Amino acid sequence: MVHHSGSIQSFKQQKGMNMNKNEIKKEQPLKPSRSQTHPQNLSKHSSFNSPNQIQAQLFSAGPSASHKIAEHGRKMDKVESNLYKLSSSAFSDSCLDVGKDSYVEDSEHGTDEAQLIKAKVTIRKPEGMTKKEMKVTATPSLFFKDGKKRIDYILVYKKSSLQVEKRSTFERNLREEGLMLEREQSITNSDIMFVKIHCPWDTLCKYAERMNIRMPFRKKCYYTDWKNRTLNSLYRKTIQLRSWLPKNPMQLDKEALPDLEETDCYTAPFSRARMHHFTITNKDTFFNNSTRSRIVHHVLQRTKYEDGKTKMGINKLLNNGTYEASFPPHEGSYQSRHPIKTHGAKNHRHLLYKRWACWGMWYKYQPLDLIRRYFGEKIGLYFAWLGWYTGMLIPAAFVGLFVFLYGVFTMHSSQVSKEICQATEILMCPMCERSCMLQKLNESCIYAKVTHLFDNGGTVFFAIFMAIWATVFLEFWKRRRAVLTYDWDLIDWEEEEENVRPQFERKYAQVERVNPITGKPEPYQPFMDKLLRLMISILGIFLMISLVLTTVFAVVVYRLVAMEHFASFKWYFVKKYWQFATSGTGVCINFVIIMFLNVVYEKVAFFLTNLEQPRTELEWENSYALKMFLFQFVNLNSSIFYIAFFLGRFSGRPGKYNKLFDRWRLEECHPSGCLIDLCLQMSVIMVLKQTWNNFMELGYPLFHNWWTQHKIKRNEQVLKLPQWEKDWNLQPMNLHGLIDEYLEMVLQFGFVTIFVAAFPLAPLLALMNNIIEIRLDAYKFVTQWRRPLPARATNIGIWYGILEGIGVLAVITNAFVIAITSDYIPRFVYAFRYGPCKGQGYSQERCLKGYVNSSLSVFDLSELGPGHSGYCRYRDYRAPPWSSNPYELTLQFWHVLAARLAFIIVFEHLVFGIKSFIAYLIPDMPKDLSDRVRREKYLVQEMMYDAELEHLQKQRKCHGKHYHQEWP
């Protein structure tokens, strides 16, 4: 589910923007924006914000330890107090020089001995302490050995690796770039070495300016006119009224998440020359952990390890075995011995685990702001989209359940079901060659009632509803995304020119061309080479799709062979329900083939994508995602398309059946129709696939991490591992990032929309799965995976276009399912043209009286040879054997065919028209948000102008020079 309040409340607080310059000048810099800094509550008791406490821990041994701790604490308090004063006033006054970094880089440790600090400082909660002043537990494993320098990134390598020279050159160049490094040996494996990286203040500022990272510089200003003051009064009264109402159980409490307090600030690209513009209250927390990790990763990607244009980047060193892994560390443990309600959260990870990843939070909105702060905007947008999709499934699930229940309540009163159940004298022709006998039509009574559950009067309404629902879902997601991008300061963010992939550089290092954007020479792929590789990749895609169609054909052959055996089975139950046994075993075999081919497709898609040699990582991800979607979509839905549109359509008639290879008679639909087979196919594949995916997503990391911890616990000398080693023992995030996560949900979206006319319970099953999926993914990200790099993104990428394509395909397929697969159109034609209500219009079920008899044709069994006599019935519109043109198609057949074609055309045009009209009515960005964005840009320019003018005037005054009230 989605955390709606976090992104909407900031809008409600804005009373207006008509503020003059004098009002802007009066605004004083407040605490940093919630989107850029650590929370205030956690800063009071969090391990990674308390270097003075860690220093106390380091000097805890010795008789004079308490005196040293107290003296050091007084010094640190004095430094922090001075720093706060400087940040609030002196940063805007150039007379005071506080921009220098006090960190001095340590020399590299000459020993590989690991030093694990086991001491722990615990501050007890005294009497009278408020709820927010919680217990403090210092964790030294998030800092260097001196207890001051925070660890921003971790590199892991093996001492037995032969790439010593490359690693030494790379680390030397990292120090030249301004990073600080510290080595430490693993406690559990003597061959593993950890390189801890710290980014000092000067380096952070330098690269934040290069990367155009937006930082807070002034509190947001609002309208002050009388109209908005009146609205503000009404808003306060509304809030007061809402406080009397019962609380929304899905809403997370502010007390439960004190981390998400509103501190709206304007942001601007960071600049060292204009540092006095920004609200810097504490240099240690001005850049949050996510931003620090992104800056360090930026440096790692651009640092050379050898001389040469292409000999740079941590990715290449990971590929050639110089390093084993690189990752930002987690912010401590996600568990605590004390309850979070009384002692507070130890860190952001602990808070996410308790308020997001726990199963008890399954009905709560997601804390999207906290997710974004810890994992980055890219992962935050994935969970926002997943939560929005899950929330939108609720109305679809209720409508689908209503359609299904309508079928349940009308099942026994349906005229068609009654006629089939009462047809004790109608004999149906054998449905297989050797083992099948004549059977009475009433033996299909159960099938007819089950078919009515999915094929009833609400089917057409539900198909139209789901087509409109898909459009509304996508259009409102664009609005939701716009709100999030504004709330997360991504409106003006543009993805920087991506680095060329190392594989692309190695392949085309000899051919260079000047990049028109950067103006620098870079490797270039000739057009003919690119075209040839693309054609080979397309050919590989078609070959794999052909493999899917071959497996579907094999399953069809199995069904043709199996139905003869099940019809002659010794067990009476199997022999009686041989069609159900044939369909059920066919679905299970098809599912096993699907899961096997998915593994093959992943490797083939990876190979074909690398064969194309995409230039950047974004191009690689888009190409790989598109191939995986095409492969798995065809793999999952090919058998469903066969049952929906081909099963029983080309089987022929009694006495003239069509046979495969002149041996196996083609399969026919059940006397009650083919829709029951389609429902069975969809339900089994959807349920089994979702269950299997959820098991594999969590089962494998759980087992791997459990086994790793089990091996570590056998070493009795290990009492406690530092955080970086705990993270190393976790599973890395999937190689393909979020592609697998998006792919699973997009394929589910296809199940929900494409054949929903045949299976109205699909949205309900998807809703239940997604409620579990959100908590599974949350648990996996927080507890079982290493912390991924907090990447930025403004949208969900290529997946939005794929979702739009699925929405268009869903309209077409549902039109064909209703017109061809179901009996809706034949019943409609009979009621208006051939039934007892002919010419009167369809009014009730009595208009379908005689429909079953009208839909069955007659066959003379004597035509089969000696020993056969009498007549049998089969599903078709053909003339009886005693007519002048026996077994010719009747006029009713052509009426039904024309009605089916007309329905398809009318349905598609109607639904596409409604979809386009709705898309036109819903703007991509809310009007008030658009006005706020434009107004905010104007105010930012005004405030920066005034701040710069004020700074220069103070500078002149400081040097005793005259100044004027104009821009210098």
Side-chain angles (χ1 to χ4, degrees):
M1 308 235 171
V2 188
H3 177 64
H4 299 278
S5 61
S7 59
I8 296 175
Q9 287 180 355
S10 60
F11 298 157
K12 292 181 178 179
Q13 292 180 355
Q14 298 192 18
K15 314 301 185 299
M17 299 181 189
N18 292 327
M19 173 171 278
N20 55 33
K21 296 181 181 180
N22 294 328
E23 290 173 326
I24 297 174
K25 290 180 182 179
K26 293 178 182 178
E27 291 287 348
Q28 297 298 326
L30 298 181
K31 55 188 177 182
S33 171
R34 62 183 173 88
S35 61
Q36 301 292 346
T37 61
H38 289 297
Q40 292 181 352
N41 182 49
L42 286 179
S43 65
K44 294 179 181 179
H45 55 81
S46 176
S47 60
F48 49 82
N49 288 332
S50 305
N52 57 327
Q53 296 162 1
I54 295 171
Q55 191 71 7
Q57 184 174 355
L58 292 173
F59 295 96
S60 59
S64 60
S66 60
H67 176 73
K68 293 181 179 179
I69 292 173
E71 182 179 358
H72 180 78
R74 288 192 296 270
K75 291 181 179 179
M76 291 300 295
D77 291 340
K78 184 176 181 181
V79 171
E80 290 180 358
S81 176
N82 293 335
L83 183 60
Y84 178 82
K85 294 178 181 178
L86 289 174
S87 63
S88 59
S89 59
F91 271 105
S92 61
D93 190 349
S94 60
C95 297
L96 299 177
D97 184 13
V98 294
K100 294 183 180 180
D101 189 6
S102 60
Y103 291 148
V104 179
E105 182 178 350
D106 293 347
S107 60
E108 184 178 343
H109 293 270
T111 178
D112 290 336
E113 293 293 331
Q115 299 179 1
L116 181 62
I117 304 172
K118 302 175 184 177
K120 183 176 291 187
V121 177
T122 301
I123 302 178
R124 297 291 181 183
K125 175 183 175 182
E127 295 182 3
M129 180 177 287
T130 61
K131 200 171 187 178
K132 290 188 177 182
E133 295 171 332
M134 305 294 184
K135 173 184 173 181
V136 180
T137 303
T139 304
S141 59
L142 295 171
F143 294 84
F144 277 21
K145 293 179 181 178
D146 62 0
K148 298 180 181 179
K149 302 180 182 67
R150 179 184 301 163
I151 300 174
D152 299 317
Y153 222 86
I154 296 292
L155 301 179
V156 185
Y157 70 89
K158 291 183 178 179
K159 291 193 292 185
S160 58
S161 173
L162 302 179
Q163 308 289 348
V164 179
E165 185 176 353
K166 293 180 180 179
R167 185 166 56 249
S168 300
T169 304
F170 183 70
E171 294 178 5
R172 182 174 63 252
N173 292 335
L174 288 179
R175 292 189 179 91
E176 292 177 358
E177 290 292 333
L179 300 182
M180 296 182 179
L181 277 63
E182 183 180 73
R183 286 195 181 95
E184 188 154 342
Q185 180 178 316
S186 170
I187 296 177
T188 59
N189 190 341
S190 59
D191 191 35
I192 296 295
M193 291 294 298
F194 297 98
V195 180
K196 299 174 283 186
I197 300 177
H198 168 74
C199 191
W201 171 256
D202 286 342
T203 308
L204 287 172
C205 294
K206 178 177 68 175
Y207 280 98
E209 184 175 9
R210 291 184 184 179
M211 298 169 64
N212 289 323
I213 295 177
R214 302 181 67 88
M215 302 301 293
F217 72 94
R218 189 68 64 93
K219 190 181 186 311
K220 286 187 176 180
C221 309
Y222 306 106
Y223 287 113
T224 57
D225 57 6
W226 66 270
K227 180 178 179 181
N228 286 277
R229 284 196 297 268
T230 304
L231 292 177
N232 186 32
S233 177
L234 293 176
Y235 177 72
R236 286 197 302 267
K237 292 180 180 179
T238 304
I239 293 296
Q240 185 179 5
L241 178 62
R242 288 177 56 186
S243 64
W244 298 338
L245 299 177
K247 189 177 180 181
N248 185 358
M250 294 185 293
Q251 186 71 42
L252 284 167
D253 299 339
K254 281 291 185 73
E255 297 179 358
L257 285 176
D259 187 34
L260 302 180
E261 294 177 356
E262 297 284 349
T263 54
D264 293 328
C265 289
Y266 290 119
T267 61
F270 185 79
S271 172
R272 287 178 291 177
R274 297 178 177 178
M275 191 179 296
H276 49 277
H277 290 176
F278 297 92
T279 307
I280 306 177
T281 58
N282 189 341
K283 291 197 296 184
D284 291 335
T285 59
F286 181 64
F287 297 102
N288 62 16
N289 285 356
S290 299
T291 305
R292 298 173 71 99
S293 298
R294 283 198 294 118
I295 291 175
V296 173
H297 183 75
H298 179 87
V299 178
L300 294 175
Q301 291 281 56
R302 289 157 178 78
T303 302
K304 292 185 177 182
Y305 59 86
E306 284 184 8
D307 294 333
K309 296 182 179 179
T310 64
K311 306 295 184 179
M312 67 171 61
I314 186 63
N315 288 343
K316 290 184 178 180
L317 296 177
L318 292 172
N319 292 335
N320 61 28
T322 304
Y323 289 99
E324 297 296 316
S326 66
F327 52 88
H330 277 295
E331 298 178 356
S333 175
Y334 64 89
Q335 291 179 329
S336 176
R337 293 177 298 176
H338 306 285
I340 191 173
K341 290 184 178 181
T342 58
H343 290 72
K346 295 173 61 178
N347 48 63
H348 284 143
R349 190 186 183 195
H350 182 214
L351 190 62
L352 280 172
Y353 176 73
K354 289 296 185 181
R355 301 307 182 199
W356 180 48
C358 282
W359 293 105
M361 299 286 111
W362 67 270
Y363 62 96
K364 297 285 188 180
Y365 292 135
Q366 298 182 91
L368 293 180
D369 291 331
L370 188 60
I371 297 170
R372 169 251 180 169
R373 182 182 301 168
Y374 193 82
F375 292 110
E377 286 80 3
K378 192 172 184 178
I379 295 177
L381 275 175
Y382 163 72
F383 282 104
W385 175 83
L386 180 57
W388 185 258
Y389 170 47
T390 304
M392 289 293 291
L393 279 174
I394 295 176
F398 272 112
V399 176
L401 182 61
F402 173 78
V403 172
F404 179 78
L405 293 177
Y406 172 79
V408 172
F409 290 123
T410 60
M411 179 173 57
H412 299 286
S413 61
S414 171
Q415 182 66 30
V416 177
S417 301
K418 287 180 180 180
E419 291 186 2
I420 292 178
C421 295
Q422 295 172 2
T424 57
E425 298 180 356
I426 298 179
L427 297 176
M428 300 299 295
C429 297
M431 299 186 67
C432 57
E433 287 293 312
R434 296 183 297 272
S435 304
C436 295
M437 305 295 292
L438 296 173
Q439 61 178 2
K440 295 181 179 180
L441 180 59
N442 66 335
E443 295 180 6
S444 303
C445 180
I446 297 178
Y447 289 96
K449 291 182 178 180
V450 173
T451 301
H452 182 76
L453 298 177
F454 307 98
D455 186 10
N456 52 63
T459 302
V460 177
F461 162 75
F462 188 57
I464 297 176
F465 172 83
M466 288 304 298
I468 298 174
W469 172 88
T471 301
V472 172
F473 160 66
L474 294 176
E475 292 300 321
F476 275 97
W477 161 248
K478 287 193 289 188
R479 294 169 62 87
R480 174 63 175 159
R481 185 196 66 84
V483 172
L484 289 174
T485 53
Y486 171 80
D487 212 30
W488 293 350
D489 283 325
L490 297 173
I491 291 290
D492 296 326
W493 181 80
E494 294 182 1
E495 194 165 1
E496 61 179 347
E497 182 68 13
E498 287 193 276
N499 283 343
V500 179
R501 296 179 66 243
Q503 298 84 348
F504 186 89
E505 289 180 337
R506 286 198 298 265
K507 182 68 177 179
Y508 302 103
Q510 305 301 324
V511 183
E512 287 190 347
R513 187 182 69 168
V514 176
N515 189 309
I517 299 176
T518 63
K520 298 179 181 179
E522 65 178 15
Y524 171 70
Q525 183 181 15
F527 174 76
M528 292 305 299
D529 180 80
K530 184 175 182 178
L531 180 62
L532 179 61
R533 291 177 178 275
L534 184 61
M535 295 300 296
I536 294 175
S537 178
I538 293 175
L539 180 61
I541 293 174
F542 278 109
L543 287 176
M544 296 309 298
I545 291 177
S546 301
L547 177 61
V548 175
L549 299 180
T550 303
T551 59
V552 173
F553 179 77
V555 174
V556 171
V557 173
Y558 163 79
R559 291 170 65 109
L560 299 181
V561 176
M563 67 179 184
E564 293 284 352
H565 290 79
F566 283 123
S568 59
F569 213 73
K570 294 181 180 179
W571 293 352
Y572 174 77
F573 180 81
V574 176
K575 185 176 181 178
K576 182 178 181 181
Y577 299 103
W578 61 271
Q579 283 186 307
F580 180 80
T582 302
S583 300
T585 55
V587 170
C588 294
I589 293 174
N590 188 46
F591 176 75
V592 173
I593 295 175
I594 287 173
M595 300 310 296
F596 171 76
L597 289 180
N598 282 346
V599 178
V600 177
Y601 290 153
E602 184 175 350
K603 300 183 181 300
V604 173
F606 189 81
F607 171 78
L608 292 178
T609 306
N610 288 333
L611 181 65
E612 293 177 8
Q613 291 291 347
R615 177 178 170 274
T616 63
E617 289 295 334
L618 180 61
E619 293 178 3
W620 191 96
E621 285 186 7
N622 290 340
S623 179
Y624 177 80
L626 184 59
K627 290 181 180 63
M628 284 298 295
F629 170 74
L630 289 176
F631 288 158
Q632 293 208 21
F633 181 81
V634 175
N635 190 25
L636 282 173
N637 294 282
S638 54
S639 60
I640 299 177
F641 271 91
Y642 164 75
I643 293 176
F645 305 126
F646 296 98
L647 179 62
R649 310 298 170 192
F650 309 99
S651 58
R653 63 172 180 84
K656 196 178 180 180
Y657 284 113
N658 297 322
K659 294 185 178 182
L660 183 64
F661 304 133
D662 293 329
R663 181 177 180 181
W664 295 299
R665 171 181 159 184
L666 294 182
E667 193 174 1
E668 291 184 78
C669 289
H670 197 270
S672 60
C674 292
L675 201 64
I676 185 65
D677 293 307
L678 181 60
C679 296
L680 179 65
Q681 185 86 5
M682 287 191 62
S683 59
V684 171
I685 291 180
M686 188 174 183
V687 172
L688 290 181
K689 186 177 184 302
Q690 291 183 160
T691 304
W692 176 260
N693 286 342
N694 291 335
F695 173 76
M696 290 302 297
E697 280 186 12
L698 190 61
Y700 177 74
L702 274 175
F703 175 77
H704 181 275
N705 295 335
W706 171 83
W707 181 248
T708 302
Q709 294 174 3
H710 176 71
K711 292 190 296 184
I712 292 175
K713 288 180 180 179
R714 288 187 298 183
N715 186 357
E716 298 180 356
Q717 297 178 354
V718 178
L719 299 178
K720 186 178 180 182
L721 296 178
Q723 187 60 47
W724 58 80
E725 190 154 356
K726 292 179 181 178
D727 294 346
W728 163 248
N729 292 326
L730 296 177
Q731 282 287 291
M733 188 178 176
N734 289 337
L735 179 64
H736 311 126
L738 293 172
I739 292 179
D740 294 339
E741 310 296 332
Y742 274 115
L743 180 62
E744 179 185 355
M745 291 295 102
V746 169
L747 291 174
Q748 183 201 85
F749 181 80
F751 269 96
V752 169
T753 56
I754 292 179
F755 290 100
V756 73
F759 190 52
L761 291 180
L764 180 62
L765 295 178
L767 174 63
M768 294 188 295
N769 174 80
N770 286 8
I771 292 174
I772 300 174
E773 180 75 20
I774 289 177
R775 304 306 157 181
L776 279 179
D777 286 346
Y779 185 82
K780 182 173 55 180
F781 271 90
V782 174
T783 68
Q784 302 302 311
W785 278 0
R786 297 173 193 161
R787 186 178 184 181
L789 177 70
R792 305 201 87 185
T794 58
N795 51 54
I796 61 175
I798 194 176
W799 300 107
Y800 185 84
I802 293 176
L803 290 171
E804 284 188 324
I806 291 176
V808 173
L809 181 62
V811 177
I812 300 173
T813 53
N814 281 305
F816 276 86
V817 166
I818 296 172
I820 296 176
T821 310
S822 74
D823 286 341
Y824 178 80
I825 298 300
R827 293 197 300 264
F828 184 83
V829 171
Y830 177 81
F832 278 87
R833 183 67 178 83
Y834 297 96
C837 300
K838 176 182 177 181
Q840 303 175 12
Y842 181 84
S843 59
Q844 52 188 351
E845 283 289 332
R846 67 177 183 83
C847 296
L848 290 176
K849 186 176 182 180
Y851 166 74
V852 174
N853 185 62
S854 174
S855 64
L856 298 177
S857 299
V858 182
F859 176 70
D860 188 358
L861 292 172
S862 62
E863 296 183 16
L864 298 178
H868 297 83
S869 61
Y871 296 97
C872 66
R873 310 294 294 272
Y874 61 97
R875 285 175 57 90
D876 209 342
Y877 296 100
R878 293 182 180 273
W882 53 81
S883 66
S884 58
N885 296 314
Y887 306 118
E888 290 291 330
L889 294 174
T890 62
L891 183 61
Q892 188 175 356
F893 169 83
W894 299 109
H895 284 164
V896 171
L897 179 61
R900 282 173 168 168
L901 296 177
F903 175 83
I904 292 173
I905 296 173
V906 172
F907 182 88
E908 289 181 355
H909 282 72
L910 175 64
V911 175
F912 279 132
I914 296 175
K915 285 167 64 72
S916 301
F917 182 68
I918 291 176
Y920 172 77
L921 288 180
I922 303 175
D924 294 347
M925 181 180 289
K927 180 64 168 59
D928 59 341
L929 177 59
S930 178
D931 294 340
R932 288 188 183 96
V933 171
R934 294 172 59 188
R935 176 66 176 172
E936 184 171 310
K937 288 181 179 180
Y938 170 76
L939 289 178
V940 166
Q941 294 177 356
E942 292 292 317
M943 284 186 288
M944 294 189 71
Y945 175 92
D946 292 340
E948 189 67 25
L949 179 61
E950 182 181 357
H951 170 68
L952 291 177
Q953 290 174 348
K954 288 183 178 180
Q955 200 173 35
R956 289 181 175 182
K957 185 177 180 180
C958 179
H959 292 85
K961 297 181 180 180
H962 296 288
Y963 63 95
H964 305 281
Q965 294 293 338
E966 71 272 359
W967 181 258

